[in-house]
Amino acid sequence: MAVMDKPTAPPSLDYLRIPAMPASVFVAPLRKPAGLSDDWLEPAQRKYGPEEHRIWDALYQRQIGLMPGHACRGFLLGLERLNLGRGGVPDFSEISEELRSLTGWSVVPVPMLIPDHVFYYHLANRRFPAGNFIRSRQQFDYIQEPDVFHDVFGHVPLLTDPIFASYMEAYGRAGWKALKYNRLKALSALYWYTVEFGLILEDDQLRIYGAGILSGPTETVFSLEGRSPNRIHLNVDRVMRTDYTISDLQATYFVIESFRELFHLTEQRGFEPIYESLAPAFQYAKTAALDTDHIYHRGTQEYELRGGRGSGAKPV
Ligand SMILES: [Fe+2]
């Protein structure tokens, strides 16, 4: 891989190489399947069977009707441009060709959740790693592992937006410094509350841009209309200190006014001073609404307090 043509980047910030994972950084114990290189990429997109294509179509049909009035404009535009409802699991090479011409991104197949440092490496090079499998009918309503529907329907449409596309690349690059400062957890919280579960203001109305919300019907409604969750304006320093829920609806959603604002608050300000100021652990509970927050809606937290998923609590 050519690395000599980037003389300004010191070796530790060479985005064309997978960053080294310092021994002191905790990583989830993911085992790389045999036969894959260090980049974790599968050699080709899987050939889906007819039932798997039908599962995509059913998931698409369930979700698409909810998009107007809930999803943000950039997402709707991206869905249309990429024609993700053409029938069956989309072909990665076709959507990559379209994406490349718009923003230089591509979609690449990975077998499962991949390690953070490998994920950063792909994002920094404008490659979005997408699950090379689809959920079963039994997992129709909920799957913890990101499958091709979550990754492609949820994430890929916004990669057609030039500013959001730049934010995603900047997020990947921010991973190198997070590793250096041992602040992976903080950077993950930012990803969680923006890319996965972010809300955006459009003409004074809240809309969704987070893929974790947009790939399922319950949270699409809950995040915008529920009385339980907080809705608070994004403050990057605060968000990077905030705990989050992995396998249930969020207790708090953070709102931006534009993708330009998101890019400005992170990449343009620079990640280094933020990492330097952060304590290693989270300081705020996921349900917290602080005196210093700009609060759009102070949630009742009743869904959370009644026990959330599995407790029978209604997502209201
Ligand atoms: Fe995701």
Side-chain angles (χ1 to χ4, degrees), residues 3 5 13 18 26 42 54 87 96-97 113 130 153 166 210 238 245-246 251 260 262-263 265 297 304 311 313:
V3 294
D5 56 347
L13 290 180
I18 299 172
F26 170 78
E42 299 223 300
R54 280 195 292 271
S96 293
E97 199 182 312
L113 206 61
F153 184 93
S166 297
R238 187 266 205 248
T245 303
I246 291 188
R260 203 171 286 282
L262 179 60
F263 192 70
L265 293 175
H297 171 77
E304 181 78 25
S311 71

Short mmCIF file of all heavy atoms in Angstrom, two decimals, residues 3 5 13 18 26 42 54 87 96-97 113 130 153 166 210 238 245-246 251 260 262-263 265 297 304 311 313:
data_model
loop_
_atom_site.label_atom_id
_atom_site.label_comp_id
_atom_site.label_asym_id
_atom_site.label_seq_id
_atom_site.Cartn_x
_atom_site.Cartn_y
_atom_site.Cartn_z
N VAL A 3 2.33 4.61 0.90
CA VAL A 3 2.20 5.51 2.05
C VAL A 3 3.18 6.67 1.95
O VAL A 3 3.08 7.62 2.70
CB VAL A 3 2.46 4.78 3.39
CG1 VAL A 3 1.39 3.75 3.65
CG2 VAL A 3 3.83 4.13 3.40
N ASP A 5 3.52 8.97 -0.24
CA ASP A 5 3.08 10.22 -0.85
C ASP A 5 2.34 11.14 0.12
O ASP A 5 1.67 12.05 -0.25
CB ASP A 5 2.19 9.92 -2.06
CG ASP A 5 1.01 9.06 -1.69
OD1 ASP A 5 1.03 8.50 -0.58
OD2 ASP A 5 0.09 8.94 -2.50
N LEU A 13 -0.02 8.96 12.36
CA LEU A 13 -1.28 9.46 11.79
C LEU A 13 -1.38 9.12 10.30
O LEU A 13 -1.92 9.87 9.52
CB LEU A 13 -1.40 10.96 12.00
CG LEU A 13 -1.62 11.41 13.43
CD1 LEU A 13 -1.73 12.93 13.51
CD2 LEU A 13 -2.86 10.79 14.03
N ILE A 18 -3.71 0.55 9.00
CA ILE A 18 -4.51 0.26 10.20
C ILE A 18 -3.72 0.74 11.41
O ILE A 18 -2.54 0.40 11.55
CB ILE A 18 -4.79 -1.26 10.30
CG1 ILE A 18 -5.57 -1.72 9.08
CG2 ILE A 18 -5.55 -1.58 11.59
CD1 ILE A 18 -5.74 -3.22 8.97
N PHE A 26 -8.44 -1.04 26.31
CA PHE A 26 -9.34 -2.19 26.39
C PHE A 26 -10.07 -2.37 25.07
O PHE A 26 -10.58 -1.41 24.51
CB PHE A 26 -10.37 -2.01 27.51
CG PHE A 26 -11.44 -3.06 27.46
CD1 PHE A 26 -11.19 -4.34 27.92
CD2 PHE A 26 -12.68 -2.81 26.87
CE1 PHE A 26 -12.16 -5.34 27.84
CE2 PHE A 26 -13.66 -3.80 26.79
CZ PHE A 26 -13.39 -5.06 27.28
N GLU A 42 -14.41 -9.10 3.88
CA GLU A 42 -14.70 -10.35 3.21
C GLU A 42 -14.39 -10.16 1.72
O GLU A 42 -14.52 -9.05 1.19
CB GLU A 42 -16.17 -10.73 3.41
CG GLU A 42 -16.48 -10.92 4.89
CD GLU A 42 -17.33 -12.13 5.17
OE1 GLU A 42 -18.44 -12.18 4.65
OE2 GLU A 42 -16.88 -13.00 5.94
N ARG A 54 -36.39 -11.63 0.49
CA ARG A 54 -37.76 -11.29 0.93
C ARG A 54 -37.72 -10.61 2.30
O ARG A 54 -38.52 -9.73 2.59
CB ARG A 54 -38.64 -12.55 0.97
CG ARG A 54 -39.17 -12.96 -0.40
CD ARG A 54 -40.31 -13.97 -0.29
NE ARG A 54 -39.85 -15.26 0.22
CZ ARG A 54 -39.39 -16.26 -0.55
NH1 ARG A 54 -39.35 -16.12 -1.87
NH2 ARG A 54 -38.99 -17.38 -0.02
N GLY A 87 -35.61 -3.81 -4.75
CA GLY A 87 -36.00 -5.22 -4.61
C GLY A 87 -34.82 -6.06 -4.16
O GLY A 87 -33.82 -6.17 -4.88
N SER A 96 -22.02 1.37 -4.36
CA SER A 96 -20.70 2.00 -4.19
C SER A 96 -20.37 2.88 -5.41
O SER A 96 -19.77 3.95 -5.27
CB SER A 96 -19.61 0.96 -4.02
OG SER A 96 -19.79 0.28 -2.79
N GLU A 97 -20.76 2.40 -6.59
CA GLU A 97 -20.47 3.17 -7.79
C GLU A 97 -21.19 4.53 -7.73
O GLU A 97 -20.61 5.58 -8.00
CB GLU A 97 -20.94 2.36 -9.00
CG GLU A 97 -20.32 2.81 -10.29
CD GLU A 97 -20.86 2.00 -11.46
OE1 GLU A 97 -20.90 0.75 -11.36
OE2 GLU A 97 -21.28 2.63 -12.45
N LEU A 113 -19.47 -7.45 13.67
CA LEU A 113 -18.93 -6.23 14.29
C LEU A 113 -17.40 -6.32 14.23
O LEU A 113 -16.84 -7.38 14.51
CB LEU A 113 -19.38 -6.22 15.75
CG LEU A 113 -19.49 -4.89 16.45
CD1 LEU A 113 -20.52 -4.01 15.76
CD2 LEU A 113 -19.90 -5.11 17.90
N ALA A 130 -20.11 -2.86 6.07
CA ALA A 130 -21.51 -3.27 6.28
C ALA A 130 -21.58 -4.78 6.50
O ALA A 130 -20.85 -5.54 5.86
CB ALA A 130 -22.36 -2.87 5.07
N PHE A 153 -29.57 0.31 4.93
CA PHE A 153 -30.74 1.21 4.98
C PHE A 153 -30.48 2.36 5.95
O PHE A 153 -30.79 3.52 5.66
CB PHE A 153 -31.99 0.44 5.41
CG PHE A 153 -33.25 1.29 5.39
CD1 PHE A 153 -34.06 1.33 4.27
CD2 PHE A 153 -33.60 2.06 6.49
CE1 PHE A 153 -35.20 2.12 4.23
CE2 PHE A 153 -34.74 2.86 6.47
CZ PHE A 153 -35.55 2.89 5.34
N SER A 166 -18.14 13.98 5.01
CA SER A 166 -16.87 14.48 5.54
C SER A 166 -16.78 14.25 7.05
O SER A 166 -15.71 13.97 7.58
CB SER A 166 -16.72 15.98 5.28
OG SER A 166 -16.67 16.20 3.90
N GLY A 210 -30.03 9.61 12.79
CA GLY A 210 -29.29 8.47 13.34
C GLY A 210 -29.75 7.14 12.76
O GLY A 210 -30.94 6.83 12.74
N ARG A 238 -19.93 17.36 26.66
CA ARG A 238 -20.90 16.73 27.54
C ARG A 238 -21.26 15.32 27.03
O ARG A 238 -21.29 14.36 27.78
CB ARG A 238 -22.13 17.66 27.62
CG ARG A 238 -23.21 17.27 28.62
CD ARG A 238 -24.27 16.45 27.91
NE ARG A 238 -25.54 16.54 28.58
CZ ARG A 238 -26.13 15.52 29.21
NH1 ARG A 238 -25.56 14.35 29.27
NH2 ARG A 238 -27.33 15.68 29.75
N THR A 245 -27.20 3.59 26.27
CA THR A 245 -27.83 2.27 26.29
C THR A 245 -27.46 1.53 25.02
O THR A 245 -27.61 2.07 23.93
CB THR A 245 -29.36 2.45 26.29
OG1 THR A 245 -29.71 3.25 27.41
CG2 THR A 245 -30.07 1.11 26.39
N ILE A 246 -27.01 0.29 25.16
CA ILE A 246 -26.63 -0.46 23.96
C ILE A 246 -27.80 -1.23 23.35
O ILE A 246 -28.00 -1.21 22.16
CB ILE A 246 -25.43 -1.39 24.25
CG1 ILE A 246 -24.21 -0.51 24.51
CG2 ILE A 246 -25.19 -2.37 23.10
CD1 ILE A 246 -22.92 -1.24 24.64
N ALA A 251 -32.33 6.79 26.44
CA ALA A 251 -32.97 7.63 27.46
C ALA A 251 -32.85 9.10 27.09
O ALA A 251 -33.63 9.95 27.55
CB ALA A 251 -32.33 7.38 28.82
N ARG A 260 -23.41 20.87 9.20
CA ARG A 260 -22.32 21.84 9.25
C ARG A 260 -21.94 22.13 10.71
O ARG A 260 -20.77 22.20 11.06
CB ARG A 260 -22.76 23.13 8.55
CG ARG A 260 -21.63 23.98 8.04
CD ARG A 260 -22.17 25.12 7.17
NE ARG A 260 -22.62 24.67 5.87
CZ ARG A 260 -21.81 24.38 4.85
NH1 ARG A 260 -20.51 24.51 4.98
NH2 ARG A 260 -22.30 23.98 3.69
N LEU A 262 -22.37 20.10 13.24
CA LEU A 262 -21.72 18.90 13.76
C LEU A 262 -20.25 18.86 13.34
O LEU A 262 -19.35 18.57 14.15
CB LEU A 262 -22.46 17.67 13.21
CG LEU A 262 -21.95 16.30 13.62
CD1 LEU A 262 -21.98 16.11 15.13
CD2 LEU A 262 -22.78 15.20 12.94
N PHE A 263 -19.98 19.18 12.09
CA PHE A 263 -18.62 19.16 11.57
C PHE A 263 -17.78 20.24 12.26
O PHE A 263 -16.63 20.02 12.65
CB PHE A 263 -18.67 19.40 10.06
CG PHE A 263 -17.37 19.13 9.36
CD1 PHE A 263 -16.90 17.83 9.24
CD2 PHE A 263 -16.61 20.17 8.83
CE1 PHE A 263 -15.68 17.57 8.60
CE2 PHE A 263 -15.41 19.91 8.20
CZ PHE A 263 -14.94 18.62 8.07
N LEU A 265 -18.27 21.56 15.29
CA LEU A 265 -18.06 21.27 16.71
C LEU A 265 -17.02 20.18 16.96
O LEU A 265 -16.56 20.00 18.09
CB LEU A 265 -19.38 20.81 17.36
CG LEU A 265 -20.50 21.83 17.47
CD1 LEU A 265 -21.77 21.17 18.01
CD2 LEU A 265 -20.08 22.98 18.38
N HIS A 297 -36.81 18.99 25.33
CA HIS A 297 -37.85 18.23 26.03
C HIS A 297 -37.22 17.49 27.20
O HIS A 297 -36.27 16.72 27.00
CB HIS A 297 -38.50 17.22 25.07
CG HIS A 297 -39.42 16.25 25.75
ND1 HIS A 297 -40.69 16.59 26.17
CD2 HIS A 297 -39.25 14.96 26.14
CE1 HIS A 297 -41.26 15.55 26.76
NE2 HIS A 297 -40.39 14.55 26.77
N GLU A 304 -37.74 4.02 30.85
CA GLU A 304 -36.48 3.59 31.49
C GLU A 304 -36.75 3.13 32.93
O GLU A 304 -36.31 2.06 33.35
CB GLU A 304 -35.53 4.80 31.47
CG GLU A 304 -34.17 4.56 32.05
CD GLU A 304 -33.25 3.80 31.10
OE1 GLU A 304 -33.46 3.87 29.87
OE2 GLU A 304 -32.34 3.13 31.62
N SER A 311 -39.45 -5.68 30.11
CA SER A 311 -40.21 -5.49 31.36
C SER A 311 -41.70 -5.36 31.08
O SER A 311 -42.51 -5.34 32.00
CB SER A 311 -39.74 -4.20 32.05
OG SER A 311 -40.18 -3.08 31.31
N ALA A 313 -42.79 -2.64 29.77
CA ALA A 313 -43.03 -1.18 29.76
C ALA A 313 -43.31 -0.72 28.33
O ALA A 313 -42.66 -1.17 27.39
CB ALA A 313 -41.81 -0.44 30.30
#
